[in-house]
């Protein structure tokens, strides 16, 4: 699939979806959405990203490296990082606010921005030179889109 087809597919898939929750699977960021027809959608992020409200960073991928409540060697494996705390709180906020994706922007270098109602925004920015999957947007049993184009 070429870059234009991927970009069009990502916009079509995510525009109008409701931002439902954020979390992680090991060190991969997971954003859960509900599509306009009620379908489950997801954005899996394997590069740097952040979630903002207006101009304030609410959650960032580097938060996975910070331990909550002291220095415990097993914090990451036990989902006891600053990321995990903030993701849980943010998911509760998103559940009540139900922000809708109004705009999806994608750059040729893979940067992806989801602009949602209520001032929420998800920004994804691939930060490595290797040709490896940086992010993937998909619906269950549906088409998968991602960066780099043609790799997903």
């Amino acid at each position: 699939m070429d870059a234009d087809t991927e970009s069009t597919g990502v916009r079509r898939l995510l525009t109008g979806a409701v931002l439902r929750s954020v979390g992680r699977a090991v060190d991969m960021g997971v954003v859960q959405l509900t599509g306009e027809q009620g379908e489950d959608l997801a954005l899996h992020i394997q590069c740097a990203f952040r979630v903002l409200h207006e101009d304030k960073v609410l959650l960032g991928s580097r938060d996975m490296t910070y331990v909550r409540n002291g220095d415990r060697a097993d914090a990451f494996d036990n989902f006891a990082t600053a990321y995990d705390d903030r993701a849980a709180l943010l998911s509760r906020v998103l559940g009540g606010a139900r922000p809708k994706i109004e705009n999806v922007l994608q750059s040729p270098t893979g940067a992806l921005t989801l602009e949602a109602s209520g001032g929420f925004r998800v920004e994804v920015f691939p930060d490595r030179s290797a040709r490896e999957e940086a992010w993937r947007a998909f619906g269950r049993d549906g088409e998968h889109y991602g960066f780099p184009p043609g790799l997903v």
Side-chain angles (χ1 to χ4, degrees), residues 39-94:
E39 68 275 27
D40 287 332
L41 306 175
L43 175 63
H44 287 177
I45 310 166
Q46 300 176 58
C47 62
F49 68 95
R50 61 189 181 184
V51 180
L52 301 98
H53 181 257
E54 303 297 342
D55 290 329
K56 181 176 181 179
V57 176
L58 302 176
L59 181 71
S61 52
R62 294 271 322 264
D63 291 336
M64 290 183 210
T65 63
Y66 297 102
V67 180
R68 89 174 164 218
N69 300 329
D71 185 15
R72 296 184 311 182
D74 60 350
F76 183 82
D77 292 337
N78 291 326
F79 291 83
T81 68
Y83 181 94
D84 300 306
D85 281 353
R86 292 178 180 150
L89 175 60
L90 180 53
S91 292
R92 287 192 297 274
V93 169
L94 294 172

Side-chain angles (χ1 to χ4, degrees), residues 17 68 82 90 100 102 125 128 131:
R68 89 174 164 218
L90 180 53
K100 190 175 198 177
E102 297 174 334
F125 30 100
R128 60 184 169 259
R131 187 165 165 75

Side-chain angles (χ1 to χ4, degrees), residues 1 6 9-15 17-18 20 25 28-36 38-46 104 106 112 114 133-147 152:
M1 191 175 305
E6 291 261 0
V10 170
R11 281 194 309 277
R12 188 182 69 247
L13 179 69
L14 299 178
T15 301
V18 172
R20 193 172 69 224
M28 176 178 69
V30 176
V31 177
Q32 298 288 332
L33 305 100
T34 302
E36 290 186 299
E39 68 275 27
D40 287 332
L41 306 175
L43 175 63
H44 287 177
I45 310 166
Q46 300 176 58
V104 177
Q106 186 178 350
L112 178 70
L114 309 180
E133 183 177 323
W135 57 263
R136 173 187 300 234
F138 61 95
R140 187 181 317 192
D141 301 324
E143 195 72 37
H144 288 225
Y145 304 98
F147 186 84
V152 174

